[in-house]
Every structure is written in structure tokens, then in C-alpha cells.
Amino acid sequence: MKIILNTLTKTIVRSFYKEFALFFLIGLYVCFGLLKSSDHIFLNTYIVSSGWLIGFYFLVWTVYNLLIINFLIRFLRKKENIFLYQSFLANKGILYASFSIVQLYLFAPALVYAAFVASIAINLGLYSIVFSISAFLFLSVVLPVFIYRNAIAKPDIGLCASSFLTLHLRFKKPYFSFFFFHLLESEWLKLLVSKGLSALLLLGLVQILQTDNADIRPLMIVVLMGFLPNFTLIGSYHSFENVNLIWFRNLPFHLAKKWLTALATFAIVLLPELFLLYRYAWVALPWYVPLLGYFFGVGLLTLYYCGLYLKIAADERFSNLIFIAAIFCFLAILFSINVLLIIAVVLALGLVTFFKTYYGYEYLVKVE
Amino acid sequence: MLTLTNFRKEYAGFLAIEIPKLHFEKGIYWIKGANGSGKSTLFKSIAGLQPYAGSIVLNGQIDQMKSPVAYRKLVNYAEAEPLYPSYLTGNDLLMFVAEMKNASPEQVTELVQVFEIESFIKNATGSYSSGMLKKLSLVLGFLGNPDLIILDEPLITLDLVATEKIAILIQKYATNGVGFLISSHQSKEMDSLAVKAQYLVENQTIKLL
């Protein structure tokens, strides 16, 4: 059993979390970035107390389970996973047990939250709710196992089962979305780590620098330092453009359009940080200040991206340049230079650099 | 059609290819050379994929460096070993490049039919065989209203039927005034083409054969 379970875990479970990294990331931001723990307790107390509202959770968990089932059937049909059909030859009990554990791994996010909801129900003495949650979860784990076993026995069963997950193939993708698909497919770990670090830095800095007065400067310093981990994603964007899409250089793309596309991409990349800024920003500051901070962050990322097209980007002089730019930004914030002016200067500097360097730049891979 | 002046391309200080002066009139040109001789480097530079020293001017007035957008509208390129993001469908790429190069829907439909790629065009390119990828890259290379089409090894991984079709298509476009720079090891299949001249890339330069 250990061998079958190991193989299934390494293939199915790993691929599942890899494919849905962004889905979980957004879920984490929405559930734990926008809502505080006290909000969760309040919300779930209301839901379990009302009784019938728990049906909403059942619906969400069912949709999530359908997503898992669809993924698994699609996964088994891939050429490189054909060898998994041989697991059908294993003892029936072992196969069922292995798939049950795999399903537990895949369903774990729902299980963890369900346990939290159940604990609230226990505290309130609502044991019928606890029982219904337990029964629902039991069925959610057990029933798909029969579907998986059937899919292993009859390889053709999944032929039309995964249509909604391949739905994106039917729609024309805009240019700016190419990078996001690339992130999800090839750099999901980098995305997760950088976003996680950025969120931690931001929240930590907010705690240290938060004041009661309406001073904009601490928030701008939070942005300057807290958005730093996103620079790795800009590096990814740059290499994606110059490795995966190198032939795009033959296309008649106006540089201004290219620059604007990069700007829009970075604005989307930083949306989670904007949510965090609004959620945890200083109450004394006007509503538009987090938005200014966000645009400042987008400007910084764009400037860095444009800087990567400099000929010195591959050597240590570039690090010095970044350090100097960061010091200038820091000083500008400290001495209360108008934030709009800082953003304008940062964007203009990036634009000029981009126009001057783009066509003269060559991406070279260092040979060790 | 195309003029290279004081063209020089180096990689990390090592000379890859140097051409003091070269002029191509309209027509089909065959560029030969051993592996690693610098053919692809020359093609990539002409296509605008990489920087170089010197100048490349199209039709006597459109300098690649000074008018990058106008130049790229008129110069198309199909690479030797195409590689596309695996999550994009052939249709995604086709629509995108068609928009960029101002290709008409009729031209897109015609090329799709000529290269017989309808059956897989809506699938993600990650599921394509090398022959399918090659056909897609050739379709992309013919889109729009180019003055020059650069085909780097257009015949590799293609079957005989597709090879004959591409030869007919090249001749048709050439008759309509489009110039071609073609590199290929399989010259026999292209015998039917009215090649204006053949060049050999060797010893870091190019010479007429």
C-alpha cells in the first residue's frame, strides 16, 4: 500500500495543489486577509445558529469536491499518467484505502474549515449541526473514491468529464493574461512564496508603523518595503517575455502599448496588497491614501521592470542603482514630497528607460 | 528590398557574424551554412529579435532601429524550432498575431486550410507534435502583408505533402512581390522554387555562391 499511496500522492496530490495554487491563494486572501478571526467566529456563529444556512457550506464543499473529481479524471487521462491505470491490478482494499487517503489530502482545506465550523457548533451545543457536518464530510470523502476506482477500471469514463476545466481553451486570451497562465503553470511556488512574504511583511510593518495621526509617510514606507517580494515576480515577467515570448519581438508592438501592458499586469499582481492596505490601513487616513500607496507600488515595480532592460542589469552595478533609487524614494517620502509627484517621476523614469533600452537589449543566459 | 550595412553581431565579445555590406533585391534567396555557422543569428537579427551593430534597412527607407514598428509590420519570421507557451491554443496565437500584423480573416482561413491545421487549432499548443508546431509557426509567418518573410529551416519535421504545399505558397507569395530568405538542409524538395541566388554563411560572414 505504501508504494501505491506514495505514487498517487506524488503525482495526483502534488499536481492538484500546483494547478490550483492561485485559487487557494485568492481563497486565503479573501478568507484570512479580508476577514479577521473574530469575523470568522461571528459569521459562523450566525450560520450554525440559523440551521439551514449551513446548506451554503454544503454547496461550497460539493462544488469543491466536483472540482477535485474533475481534476482527477482529467489527470488520469494525460499521456504521462497512463501508468497509473496499473494500480487497478492492486488489491481492492488497498486501492480503496489509497484513494481515500488521496481524497483526504485533496479535500483537506474544506475539512480544516469544516472542523472549525463544527467546533463553533459544539460550543453552542448544536449537536445536530455537528452530526450533519460529520456525515456530509464522510460522504464527501468516501463517495468520490468509488468514482476514482471506476475511472481507473474504465479509462474512457473521463472523456467528457473535464470539459468545464478546459473551458478557458474556448476563449480568446488577451495578451496580458499570458503571463498569469505562465505563473500558474510554471512558477506557482514563486507566486505563493512572494505573495505570502509580501503579506507578512506588509502586516508586520503596519503593526510597527501604525499611528493615530493622519500622516501619509508611514503607509508609504510600508509600501516601499512591504511590496519588495513582488520584485521576484517582475524578474519572472522579464524572463518570460525574453525567453518564452522571444519571437514576439518580431511583432509590430508599439513600445507604449507594451509598457502599458506591463503596468496593467503589475497592477493586477498587486491587487492582493491593495486589499490588505485597505483592510489594515490607518483609520485616520482618507480613503484614497491606500490607493495612492498601491499606485506607488505599481510604479516601483514598473521602474524595476524597465531597469531590467538596462545593459548593466546582469552585473552588480544594477544592485547599486536599485539601492540608490530606493534611498531617493525613502528620502522623498521622509521629506513629504507630494506622493503624486513621486509616482509621476517613478513612472516617467521607467518609461524613458524602457523606450531607450528595449530594442538594444539582449537576454543572455549565464552558462555555469 | 533589404540592405545590411556594417552588420556585426557578437555574443559576449565573440564574433558570430560580420557583413560589411549586403543587399537583397526582391526574390527568393537560399541561405546555406553548417550548423552553428550563424544563419539563425543573421535571421534573428533581420527579424528584430536581437540587437546588433550596424544597420538593417527595408525598402531603402525603413530602418529597423529607427522605425521598429513599421519595419516589423513588413518583416515576418518563422523560427526553426518554434516553442510557444503550452497553455495557449493555436487559435490564441493566430488571432493575436493576425491582429498585430493586420491580417484579414480571409487570409487566416486560407492559411489554416492550406496547412490543414483546423483539426487541432483549438487545442493547447502543449499537446502539439513537433510537426503541428512547425505548421502553426509557418502559418504565423505568412500572416499580414509582409514585404519579406524569413523562414528558418521551414521543412524540418514536415511531411512530404506539407512540404509541397509550402513550396507552392512561397512561389505564390513571391509572385505577388514578397521576398524570402530561406535556410534549409533539404534543398531537393524546394527545387520547384525560382531561387534568385544562394548564399553561404561561413567563417563568420556571408558570401554569394
Side-chain angles (χ1 to χ4, degrees):
Chain A
M1 172 158 165
K2 201 178 168 187
I3 295 169
I4 292 182
L5 182 62
N6 269 345
T7 312
L8 293 179
T9 311
K10 275 184 186 171
T11 50
I12 297 169
V13 179
R14 199 177 285 184
S15 304
F16 176 78
Y17 283 106
K18 190 176 163 184
E19 184 162 328
F20 292 102
L22 191 72
F23 171 76
F24 287 114
L25 191 74
I26 292 169
L28 279 173
Y29 264 107
V30 172
C31 293
F32 302 104
L34 296 180
L35 297 172
K36 289 178 179 173
S37 54
S38 55
D39 297 336
H40 281 276
I41 293 168
F42 176 77
L43 187 74
N44 285 308
T45 304
Y46 177 72
I47 286 175
V48 295
S49 305
S50 75
W52 62 272
L53 267 179
I54 199 75
F56 168 73
Y57 279 140
F58 290 170
L59 182 72
V60 172
W61 294 333
T62 304
V63 170
Y64 178 61
N65 221 350
L66 286 174
L67 193 83
I68 294 173
I69 293 166
N70 222 319
F71 166 82
L72 211 136
I73 291 172
R74 196 163 50 91
F75 185 82
L76 289 174
R77 282 184 57 223
K78 283 185 180 169
K79 274 184 218 159
E80 64 267 32
N81 300 322
I82 282 177
F83 74 99
L84 287 173
Y85 285 104
Q86 294 189 36
S87 56
F88 180 66
L89 301 172
N91 178 293
K92 234 179 185 180
I94 289 175
L95 194 60
Y96 277 125
S98 303
F99 269 122
S100 301
I101 295 170
V102 166
Q103 174 65 5
L104 273 175
Y105 283 139
L106 300 180
F107 202 61
L111 286 174
V112 171
Y113 201 75
F116 170 67
V117 178
S119 70
I120 289 175
I122 291 171
N123 281 342
L124 295 171
L126 299 166
Y127 296 107
S128 60
I129 295 285
V130 179
F131 175 76
S132 60
I133 290 174
S134 308
F136 184 85
L137 294 179
F138 177 75
L139 290 174
S140 298
V141 173
V142 170
L143 287 180
V145 173
F146 291 97
I147 299 173
Y148 304 154
R149 202 257 172 195
N150 209 22
I152 286 276
K154 298 170 188 167
D156 287 343
I157 197 168
L159 278 178
C160 56
S162 58
S163 52
F164 90 82
L165 281 177
T166 53
L167 203 62
H168 73 90
L169 295 180
R170 296 182 196 177
F171 298 102
K172 186 184 160 192
K173 297 175 195 67
Y175 172 60
F176 77 88
S177 71
F178 294 180
F179 175 61
F180 294 103
F181 281 101
H182 167 74
L183 271 184
L184 292 180
E185 186 170 278
S186 311
E187 307 211 47
W188 59 275
L189 190 63
K190 191 185 266 186
L191 175 70
L192 268 180
V193 171
S194 60
K195 285 287 149 193
L197 283 176
S198 174
L200 285 174
L201 259 175
L202 224 120
L203 297 179
L205 286 165
V206 164
Q207 287 200 347
I208 294 171
L209 297 171
Q210 203 159 41
T211 56
D212 291 333
N213 59 41
D215 190 352
I216 192 172
R217 290 176 301 176
L219 186 129
M220 301 310 282
I221 290 168
V222 166
V223 170
L224 187 63
M225 295 166 80
F227 284 21
L228 272 179
N230 288 292
F231 280 46
T232 57
L233 296 178
I234 306 310
S236 296
Y237 185 83
H238 176 75
S239 62
F240 171 68
E241 218 175 41
N242 288 286
V243 178
N244 303 59
L245 299 181
I246 180 68
W247 60 278
F248 271 40
R249 278 183 167 249
N250 175 245
L251 300 179
F253 230 131
H254 283 279
L255 280 184
K257 194 176 172 187
K258 210 170 179 56
W259 183 81
L260 279 173
T261 308
L263 191 80
T265 306
F266 306 151
I268 295 171
V269 164
L270 287 181
L271 275 180
E273 279 78 359
L274 177 65
F275 285 130
L276 287 177
L277 281 181
Y278 264 110
R279 186 70 189 83
Y280 296 98
W282 292 234
V283 281
L285 290 173
W287 65 271
Y288 59 83
V289 171
L291 206 60
L292 281 179
Y294 165 73
F295 284 126
F296 176 51
V298 173
L300 287 176
L301 294 198
T302 312
L303 180 62
Y304 177 66
Y305 161 73
C306 298
L308 287 174
Y309 279 100
L310 288 167
K311 280 190 178 147
I312 59 161
D315 59 50
E316 66 180 40
R317 282 180 293 169
F318 188 59
S319 318
N320 297 339
L321 202 66
I322 289 178
F323 183 70
I324 292 166
I327 294 286
F328 268 105
C329 285
F330 193 71
L331 288 173
I333 293 166
L334 279 186
F335 288 97
S336 298
I337 307 282
N338 189 306
V339 178
L340 281 174
L341 182 68
I342 301 176
I343 296 171
V345 168
V346 164
L347 287 175
L349 206 58
L351 189 66
V352 171
T353 310
F354 191 66
F355 269 69
K356 279 195 175 292
T357 57
Y358 181 78
Y359 283 118
Y361 176 79
E362 185 165 19
Y363 187 86
L364 294 173
V365 181
K366 274 186 185 171
V367 180
E368 295 298 324
Chain B
M1 177 182 65
L2 191 79
T3 310
L4 284 80
T5 312
N6 297 327
F7 174 83
R8 187 181 168 88
K9 177 65 193 168
E10 290 181 1
Y11 288 114
F14 291 99
L15 179 66
I17 184 163
E18 185 174 26
I19 304 168
K21 185 85 181 173
L22 182 65
H23 181 73
F24 294 105
E25 288 296 339
K26 281 235 159 120
I28 302 170
Y29 293 89
W30 204 263
I31 314 291
K32 292 179 172 180
N35 290 335
S37 59
K39 292 191 303 290
S40 292
T41 297
L42 175 64
F43 279 5
K44 282 178 184 171
S45 301
I46 296 174
L49 263 64
Q50 58 189 20
Y52 52 84
S55 77
I56 299 177
V57 179
L58 185 73
N59 299 336
Q61 51 189 2
I62 306 170
D63 189 305
Q64 194 198 96
M65 289 292 185
K66 291 174 186 159
S67 315
V69 176
Y71 179 91
R72 282 165 175 80
K73 271 201 193 294
L74 296 172
V75 176
N76 286 9
Y77 171 66
E79 52 200 324
E81 290 168 12
L83 192 66
Y84 304 115
S86 58
Y87 42 84
L88 294 179
T89 66
N91 208 40
D92 286 333
L93 291 163
L94 201 58
M95 291 300 115
F96 180 71
V97 178
E99 196 181 318
M100 288 276 113
K101 297 271 184 183
N102 290 334
S104 66
E106 294 76 28
Q107 189 193 25
V108 173
T109 312
E110 187 197 342
L111 287 170
V112 166
Q113 282 169 357
V114 168
F115 284 95
E116 295 176 348
I117 61 172
E118 306 101 313
S119 58
F120 55 84
I121 196 77
K122 287 182 178 163
N123 297 343
T125 56
S127 66
Y128 287 14
S129 68
S130 51
M132 289 163 153
L133 282 174
K134 190 70 190 171
K135 281 182 178 178
L136 177 65
S137 85
L138 287 168
V139 171
L140 299 179
F142 277 90
L143 285 173
N145 304 296
D147 276 0
L148 171 67
I149 298 180
I150 304 159
L151 303 175
D152 196 358
E153 298 288 353
L155 304 181
I156 50 169
T157 71
L158 288 187
D159 53 47
L160 199 60
V161 180
T163 304
E164 285 166 0
K165 281 183 175 174
I166 189 178
I168 295 168
L169 198 69
I170 291 172
Q171 196 59 63
K172 185 184 157 191
Y173 271 62
T175 311
N176 291 334
V178 179
F180 281 89
L181 296 180
I182 304 169
S183 76
S184 178
H185 293 299
Q186 301 132 289
S187 55
K188 206 181 162 197
E189 287 85 350
M190 292 289 203
D191 276 352
S192 59
L193 293 179
V195 174
K196 197 159 193 172
Q198 294 191 24
Y199 285 87
L200 178 68
V201 179
E202 198 181 44
N203 299 327
Q204 283 106 32
T205 192
I206 191 168
K207 59 186 175 191
L208 190 63
L209 278 179

